[in-house]
Short mmCIF file of all heavy atoms in Angstrom, two decimals:
data_model
loop_
_atom_site.label_atom_id
_atom_site.label_comp_id
_atom_site.label_asym_id
_atom_site.label_seq_id
_atom_site.Cartn_x
_atom_site.Cartn_y
_atom_site.Cartn_z
N GLU A 1298 -15.36 41.29 0.17
CA GLU A 1298 -16.58 41.56 0.94
C GLU A 1298 -16.25 41.96 2.36
O GLU A 1298 -16.85 42.90 2.91
CB GLU A 1298 -17.47 40.32 0.92
CG GLU A 1298 -18.03 39.98 -0.46
CD GLU A 1298 -18.80 38.67 -0.45
OE1 GLU A 1298 -19.03 38.13 0.65
OE2 GLU A 1298 -19.15 38.19 -1.55
N LEU A 1299 -15.29 41.27 2.96
CA LEU A 1299 -14.92 41.59 4.33
C LEU A 1299 -14.26 42.97 4.43
O LEU A 1299 -14.51 43.73 5.37
CB LEU A 1299 -13.97 40.52 4.88
CG LEU A 1299 -14.58 39.13 5.08
CD1 LEU A 1299 -13.50 38.13 5.49
CD2 LEU A 1299 -15.69 39.17 6.12
N TYR A 1302 -16.73 45.67 4.32
CA TYR A 1302 -17.38 45.84 5.62
C TYR A 1302 -16.50 46.69 6.53
O TYR A 1302 -17.00 47.50 7.32
CB TYR A 1302 -17.60 44.46 6.25
CG TYR A 1302 -18.38 44.50 7.53
CD1 TYR A 1302 -19.77 44.64 7.53
CD2 TYR A 1302 -17.73 44.39 8.76
CE1 TYR A 1302 -20.49 44.68 8.71
CE2 TYR A 1302 -18.44 44.43 9.94
CZ TYR A 1302 -19.82 44.58 9.92
OH TYR A 1302 -20.53 44.62 11.09
N PHE A 1305 -16.62 50.39 5.13
CA PHE A 1305 -17.92 51.08 5.26
C PHE A 1305 -18.71 50.48 6.43
O PHE A 1305 -19.74 49.83 6.26
CB PHE A 1305 -18.72 50.92 3.96
CG PHE A 1305 -17.98 51.41 2.74
CD1 PHE A 1305 -17.34 50.50 1.90
CD2 PHE A 1305 -17.90 52.76 2.46
CE1 PHE A 1305 -16.66 50.95 0.78
CE2 PHE A 1305 -17.20 53.20 1.34
CZ PHE A 1305 -16.58 52.30 0.50
N PRO A 1306 -18.21 50.69 7.65
CA PRO A 1306 -18.86 50.08 8.81
C PRO A 1306 -20.28 50.58 9.04
O PRO A 1306 -21.08 49.88 9.64
CB PRO A 1306 -17.95 50.49 9.97
CG PRO A 1306 -17.25 51.72 9.49
CD PRO A 1306 -17.06 51.53 8.03
N GLU A 1307 -20.58 51.77 8.54
CA GLU A 1307 -21.93 52.31 8.75
C GLU A 1307 -22.96 51.59 7.89
O GLU A 1307 -24.16 51.65 8.15
CB GLU A 1307 -21.96 53.81 8.45
CG GLU A 1307 -21.73 54.20 6.99
CD GLU A 1307 -20.27 54.18 6.59
OE1 GLU A 1307 -19.43 53.87 7.47
OE2 GLU A 1307 -19.96 54.48 5.43
N GLU A 1308 -22.49 50.90 6.84
CA GLU A 1308 -23.41 50.15 5.98
C GLU A 1308 -23.55 48.74 6.55
O GLU A 1308 -22.86 47.82 6.14
CB GLU A 1308 -22.86 50.09 4.54
CG GLU A 1308 -22.63 51.45 3.91
CD GLU A 1308 -23.93 52.17 3.64
OE1 GLU A 1308 -24.97 51.50 3.52
OE2 GLU A 1308 -23.91 53.41 3.55
N ASP A 1309 -24.41 48.57 7.55
CA ASP A 1309 -24.55 47.27 8.20
C ASP A 1309 -25.01 46.20 7.21
O ASP A 1309 -25.96 46.41 6.45
CB ASP A 1309 -25.57 47.35 9.35
CG ASP A 1309 -25.05 48.20 10.49
OD1 ASP A 1309 -23.81 48.29 10.62
OD2 ASP A 1309 -25.87 48.78 11.22
N LEU A 1310 -24.29 45.06 7.24
CA LEU A 1310 -24.69 43.96 6.38
C LEU A 1310 -25.94 43.29 6.94
O LEU A 1310 -26.10 43.18 8.16
CB LEU A 1310 -23.56 42.93 6.30
CG LEU A 1310 -22.32 43.33 5.52
CD1 LEU A 1310 -21.25 42.27 5.71
CD2 LEU A 1310 -22.62 43.49 4.05
N PRO A 1311 -26.83 42.81 6.09
CA PRO A 1311 -27.96 42.02 6.56
C PRO A 1311 -27.46 40.79 7.30
O PRO A 1311 -26.33 40.33 7.08
CB PRO A 1311 -28.70 41.63 5.28
CG PRO A 1311 -28.25 42.63 4.27
CD PRO A 1311 -26.85 43.01 4.64
N VAL A 1312 -28.29 40.22 8.17
CA VAL A 1312 -27.88 39.06 8.95
C VAL A 1312 -27.43 37.92 8.06
O VAL A 1312 -26.44 37.25 8.31
CB VAL A 1312 -29.06 38.60 9.87
CG1 VAL A 1312 -28.66 37.33 10.60
CG2 VAL A 1312 -29.40 39.70 10.84
N ALA A 1313 -28.18 37.64 6.99
CA ALA A 1313 -27.84 36.54 6.08
C ALA A 1313 -26.47 36.75 5.46
O ALA A 1313 -25.66 35.83 5.36
CB ALA A 1313 -28.89 36.41 4.98
N ASP A 1314 -26.19 38.03 5.09
CA ASP A 1314 -24.90 38.32 4.48
C ASP A 1314 -23.78 38.19 5.51
O ASP A 1314 -22.67 37.77 5.19
CB ASP A 1314 -24.89 39.73 3.89
CG ASP A 1314 -25.77 39.83 2.65
OD1 ASP A 1314 -26.08 38.78 2.06
OD2 ASP A 1314 -26.13 40.95 2.30
N ALA A 1315 -24.05 38.56 6.74
CA ALA A 1315 -23.02 38.49 7.78
C ALA A 1315 -22.60 37.06 8.06
O ALA A 1315 -21.46 36.80 8.44
CB ALA A 1315 -23.54 39.15 9.06
N PRO A 1318 -19.86 34.87 4.81
CA PRO A 1318 -18.40 34.72 4.69
C PRO A 1318 -17.82 33.58 5.51
O PRO A 1318 -17.03 32.78 4.99
CB PRO A 1318 -17.87 36.08 5.13
CG PRO A 1318 -18.96 37.03 4.80
CD PRO A 1318 -20.23 36.28 5.08
#
Side-chain angles (χ1 to χ4, degrees):
E1298 294 175 9
L1299 293 174
Y1302 185 79
F1305 305 100
E1307 66 281 359
E1308 302 291 337
D1309 292 334
L1310 289 173
V1312 176
D1314 290 341

